[in-house]
Amino acid sequence: MMLWWILLILGIAKGDNRVEFDVTETSIFSASINCLTSYQTAHKITCSFHLKNNGQRDYSVLKWRTPLEGMTSDCLTVTRNGEKIQYDGIYMKRSLPGPDEFLLMAAGQTVSSTFDVSMGYDMTKAGTYSIAVDTYLEYAVGSVKGLNVPGKPGIQTKIAHLSSPAEVFQVIANDLTKRTLGQRARSLEDRKRFSDKSFSRRMLGPKRPLSEQNDAAAVAPLGAIVKHCTASQRRATKEVHRAAYHSIKSAIPDLENNPGRVKTWFGETPVKDATKIFEKMEEILRSDKITYVFGGKYCEKDMFAYTFPGTRKIYLCKSYQKSPKLSGFDNKMGILTHELSHALGHTDDKLYGQSACKQLAKKAPRRALKNADNYEYFVETLG
């Protein structure tokens, strides 16, 4: 047990790839974005992304956190009339990437993709928009084919910041608008809540006095609804949900009392920002119900779970079911904490993995304070 704990602290537990992290701008790769000069609010805002290998050798580039895999992460800086727009798309908790997630780029090669910006950033209002790449690019020297398989060493990667010049375009108002994935998810959730409340009023009669509601809330168990699963999975998920709540609650005083753990996962920064996120999560979990759904249309083989900002619903994928319940890194309790930090605390996915997150805390602590994996690993090491 002591050996396992030491491995956790050192970040060399089984399954964590080693990475070399550099906060400076990469010179090996360059990026650019091209869009039309104008769009209408009813239309997709489709742009093209271009990534060039400026190096003298071949590299394998991880598609995650770039438009190479579409609009699935907060990998851009987007503004409307000079005001920054927050990302409002899907948030995922992923396992370590395998060879299939990398794209081999020859020296001097440029790869391109198209992506719909409006899936992740609100473009329902008319105005002048600008978008630019702002992300961390993860890559490996040469080909990674055949790596990360049993009996062979894992993929050794490097991480560097990637940006691009801003691309400017106009969005013209239209009678219709195309909403982000987050807006759609919240709208569906709001309609469901309204429908459930209407049904409850019809079935249960007049609303109880506020004093009775408060008394009931004080003794009610932590609310969790679990769908599309077996009875045993439902019981286990509710248990993990309660464990996540208590870990989040315990993290709040620990931020003040354990400077070593804070430094490991959030770096040399004031803890007030992390405290606010944990406090917000604890408050919502204490007073509201969270719905967990086994399976979902966006689940992929390398994904533990996903959610959308501002919602109360988390989708659990097959990799989640294979994770340990409460022990080790990337356990079920930690995965729920990760996704809850997205849905309730509006954290981001800057980087994944213990090694990368420790280096993010050390070299870019302000970004670590917004990274969901750092919150997950903080609670997983509470002991």
Side-chain angles (χ1 to χ4, degrees):
M1 183 66 182
M2 180 60 69
L3 176 60
W4 170 246
W5 177 251
I6 293 172
L7 290 174
L8 289 182
I9 296 299
L10 293 176
I12 56 176
K14 181 180 178 182
D16 185 28
N17 286 359
R18 304 301 292 167
V19 299
E20 180 182 325
F21 184 84
D22 188 355
V23 294
T24 61
E25 189 73 14
T26 178
S27 59
I28 298 174
F29 301 94
S30 57
S32 62
I33 293 177
N34 296 114
C35 306
L36 300 178
T37 56
S38 66
Y39 301 86
Q40 293 189 357
T41 55
H43 298 161
K44 293 180 179 180
I45 312 296
T46 302
C47 299
S48 58
F49 168 73
H50 311 282
L51 181 68
K52 183 179 181 180
N53 176 2
N54 300 313
Q56 301 300 311
R57 60 193 307 177
D58 298 351
Y59 291 96
S60 293
V61 173
L62 181 63
K63 292 176 284 186
W64 295 356
R65 301 185 301 274
T66 77
L68 289 174
E69 65 163 1
M71 195 71 266
T72 60
S73 64
D74 185 11
C75 58
L76 307 173
T77 294
V78 180
T79 67
R80 180 197 305 117
N81 300 329
E83 296 292 326
K84 186 174 181 179
I85 300 173
Q86 296 298 317
Y87 177 71
D88 193 27
I90 188 171
Y91 280 117
M92 299 170 281
K93 166 64 180 177
R94 288 169 140 163
S95 58
L96 293 174
D100 292 344
E101 307 304 329
F102 287 80
L103 181 65
L104 182 62
M105 295 183 64
Q109 182 183 2
T110 297
V111 295
S112 302
S113 66
T114 58
F115 63 102
D116 180 3
V117 190
S118 56
M119 287 183 65
Y121 299 89
D122 181 8
M123 299 195 168
T124 59
K125 300 179 180 66
T128 300
Y129 287 76
S130 75
I131 66 171
V133 176
D134 179 13
T135 190
Y136 287 111
L137 184 70
E138 191 165 351
Y139 61 96
V141 176
S143 174
V144 298
K145 186 177 181 180
L147 298 180
N148 240 26
V149 296
K152 293 188 178 182
I155 300 171
Q156 306 299 300
T157 60
K158 299 182 179 182
I159 297 175
H161 188 257
L162 179 72
S163 63
S164 75
E167 179 79 346
V168 179
F169 55 86
Q170 299 291 322
V171 172
I172 302 167
N174 189 280
D175 291 339
L176 301 174
T177 58
K178 184 179 182 299
R179 296 178 298 174
T180 65
L181 291 179
Q183 288 171 330
R184 293 181 224 171
R186 291 190 296 275
S187 177
L188 287 172
E189 197 169 85
D190 289 343
R191 290 206 300 268
K192 179 68 165 58
R193 288 191 178 202
F194 178 80
S195 175
D196 289 347
K197 286 181 180 179
S198 297
F199 177 79
S200 296
R201 283 196 294 268
R202 291 196 303 270
M203 297 298 292
L204 301 177
K207 192 174 183 180
R208 291 179 298 169
L210 184 60
S211 59
E212 292 183 19
Q213 294 181 53
N214 291 338
D215 290 342
V219 298
L222 291 169
I225 300 168
V226 189
K227 296 182 175 181
H228 302 166
C229 62
T230 65
S232 61
Q233 287 174 324
R234 184 174 295 108
R235 288 192 298 271
T237 304
K238 289 185 176 183
E239 178 187 346
V240 173
H241 172 78
R242 288 191 293 270
Y245 168 77
H246 290 297
S247 293
I248 289 166
K249 186 176 181 179
S250 297
I252 297 169
D254 199 74
L255 286 165
E256 295 290 343
N257 301 328
N258 198 320
R261 194 183 343 268
V262 171
K263 184 177 180 180
T264 297
W265 299 114
F266 298 117
E268 298 281 2
T269 56
V271 299
K272 62 179 182 179
D273 289 340
T275 301
K276 286 180 181 178
I277 289 178
F278 276 125
E279 287 179 341
K280 184 175 182 180
M281 293 166 66
E282 190 275 336
E283 179 184 2
I284 294 174
L285 289 173
R286 179 166 32 87
S287 60
D288 207 349
K289 284 185 171 64
I290 304 297
T291 297
Y292 298 100
V293 180
F294 276 70
K297 64 184 292 186
Y298 296 106
C299 280
E300 297 176 356
K301 65 178 182 179
D302 56 22
M303 195 183 300
F304 290 110
Y306 69 87
T307 189
F308 300 95
T311 66
R312 302 291 187 268
K313 183 178 289 185
I314 293 171
Y315 297 85
L316 306 175
C317 305
K318 288 184 178 180
S319 292
Y320 169 85
Q321 301 175 42
K322 300 174 184 177
S323 300
K325 185 183 290 186
L326 301 174
S327 62
F329 280 124
D330 292 332
N331 62 57
K332 287 183 170 68
M333 181 275 295
I335 292 167
L336 295 195
T337 301
H338 178 113
E339 291 304 308
L340 289 167
S341 78
H342 284 320
L344 312 182
H346 296 273
T347 60
D348 205 345
D349 285 318
K350 303 296 183 186
L351 294 174
Y352 294 110
Q354 304 105 54
S355 179
C357 288
K358 286 181 178 181
Q359 294 187 58
L360 185 68
K362 183 177 181 180
K363 299 180 180 180
R366 297 304 304 175
R367 295 205 172 206
L369 285 168
K370 289 292 292 179
N371 192 52
D373 255 8
N374 288 70
Y375 286 85
E376 173 186 338
Y377 297 142
F378 187 89
V379 300
E380 285 179 342
T381 55
L382 283 173

